[in-house]
Amino acid sequence: MKDSIEGYISFIENCKSSLWLNVWFDNFQKEIVEEIKKETSAEKLTLYAQNKNIIVRQAVAISLNTPDTALAMLADDKNERVRPFVARNRNISLSLLTKLAKDESPEVRKEVADNAKASAEILTLLAKDKDKYVRKAVAWNENTPPETLAELATEEDYSIRQAVASNPNTSGKTLSILANDEHSNVRINVAFNANTPPEALAKLAEDDDLEVRNTVADNPQMSAKTIETLADSKDNQIGRAAKNNKER
């Protein structure tokens, strides 16, 4: 494997650019990544983590077999196209995630916020990030605590509120507030969320948006009264969904 990687790098450095080389580069690059994914030797992966080729280091950074010592090395990589791969690794330690949560690159912080291993403390910190895409990733993460989601529910960007409305950790109180959101996509997600209180669902059952009403009809938390109301809907799809809900 080491010979393959070093041979690949040497070949690229000594060849002039051409269409054939670009096609070969793309294909071989995929092969290199796949081979590194299969590698289980901590010693070899640590060696590859020091390779000068960015593709090799990225592949090592995302590999689930890479030891924490090598990930720590890559977390300090000067190339900010490598560090996001470290933050994305599902086997990364909490201490490294905490460190990367303070990285200067918003792409790295976004990957930390999206990682399923991110703790409530990390996510609460990143919920105040200046980059909206980082905050949006926090809003989607199921480890984000309810009180932090309640804060994100006040964001100006509707896509962040939409993510909060989808999160299974969002409280009924927050969902009741979002049920009045001006953006229909937010209300649709509230209508789908299993934590949405029956009173909020009853309100959404009368929403002007057809998709909102249709989504409510599928929510198992609907009250019997709301189910009866939707079952009599003039829209056949909503009526059928409500009747099916009633029979569950």
Side-chain angles (χ1 to χ4, degrees):
M1 178 58 193
K2 180 177 182 295
D3 291 341
S4 297
I5 295 177
E6 295 303 329
Y8 154 69
I9 295 170
S10 176
F11 184 83
I12 291 294
E13 291 177 343
N14 290 288
C15 282
K16 295 181 179 179
S17 179
S18 67
L19 178 60
W20 173 85
L21 179 57
N22 288 337
V23 173
W24 180 88
F25 179 90
D26 289 340
N27 290 334
F28 200 79
Q29 174 176 294
K30 293 175 183 177
E31 292 179 17
I32 290 294
V33 171
E34 289 305 312
E35 286 299 318
I36 289 178
K37 282 183 179 179
K38 298 174 187 176
E39 183 59 69
T40 58
S41 168
E43 183 180 353
K44 288 185 177 181
L45 287 166
T46 300
L47 179 65
Y48 301 150
Q50 302 170 61
N51 197 285
K52 61 183 176 181
N53 188 280
I54 183 175
I55 301 301
V56 174
R57 301 201 307 278
Q58 286 175 334
V60 174
I62 199 66
S63 173
L64 298 180
N65 297 319
T66 301
D68 199 55
T69 50
L71 289 177
M73 184 189 309
L74 292 168
D76 288 327
D77 200 287
K78 293 181 179 179
N79 193 315
E80 57 181 57
R81 290 166 57 197
V82 173
R83 299 195 305 277
F85 284 81
V86 180
R88 194 182 302 173
N89 194 302
R90 296 311 186 198
N91 282 343
I92 190 173
S93 67
L94 189 57
S95 60
L96 271 184
L97 269 182
T98 301
K99 174 181 178 176
L100 290 172
K102 301 172 184 176
D103 195 277
E104 63 183 18
S105 167
E107 181 61 27
V108 175
R109 301 194 305 274
K110 184 179 82 66
E111 291 296 341
V112 171
D114 192 50
N115 197 305
K117 292 190 71 174
S119 66
E121 291 76 18
I122 290 174
L123 293 166
T124 298
L125 170 69
L126 292 175
K128 297 178 174 62
D129 199 277
K130 61 184 178 181
D131 188 280
K132 72 175 184 178
Y133 295 106
V134 175
R135 301 195 305 275
K136 183 177 178 179
V138 173
W140 280 111
N141 197 308
E142 295 185 8
N143 293 335
T144 302
E147 55 273 20
T148 301
L149 290 169
E151 293 177 8
L152 290 170
T154 64
E155 284 274 354
E156 290 185 13
D157 190 312
Y158 88 88
S159 67
I160 296 177
R161 302 195 306 274
Q162 184 179 1
V164 172
S166 291
N167 198 307
N169 261 356
T170 302
S171 69
K173 181 180 179 180
T174 300
L175 289 166
S176 294
I177 294 172
L178 290 175
N180 298 303
D181 199 276
E182 63 182 0
H183 206 289
S184 62
N185 284 350
V186 176
R187 302 196 306 277
I188 288 171
N189 285 4
V190 174
F192 183 80
N193 198 309
N195 290 339
T196 302
E199 312 81 63
L201 292 173
K203 176 180 176 60
L204 292 170
E206 300 176 352
D207 199 277
D208 291 336
D209 190 281
L210 177 63
E211 188 61 28
V212 173
R213 301 197 305 277
N214 191 41
T215 305
V216 171
D218 275 326
N219 195 309
Q221 302 304 318
M222 267 198 308
S223 66
K225 182 178 179 180
T226 304
I227 291 177
E228 291 294 343
T229 300
L230 290 177
D232 294 332
S233 173
K234 294 180 181 179
D235 185 278
N236 292 333
Q237 186 176 359
I238 292 176
R240 282 195 303 271
K243 288 174 184 177
N244 289 336
N245 197 335
K246 183 179 180 180
E247 294 171 1
R248 288 173 188 165

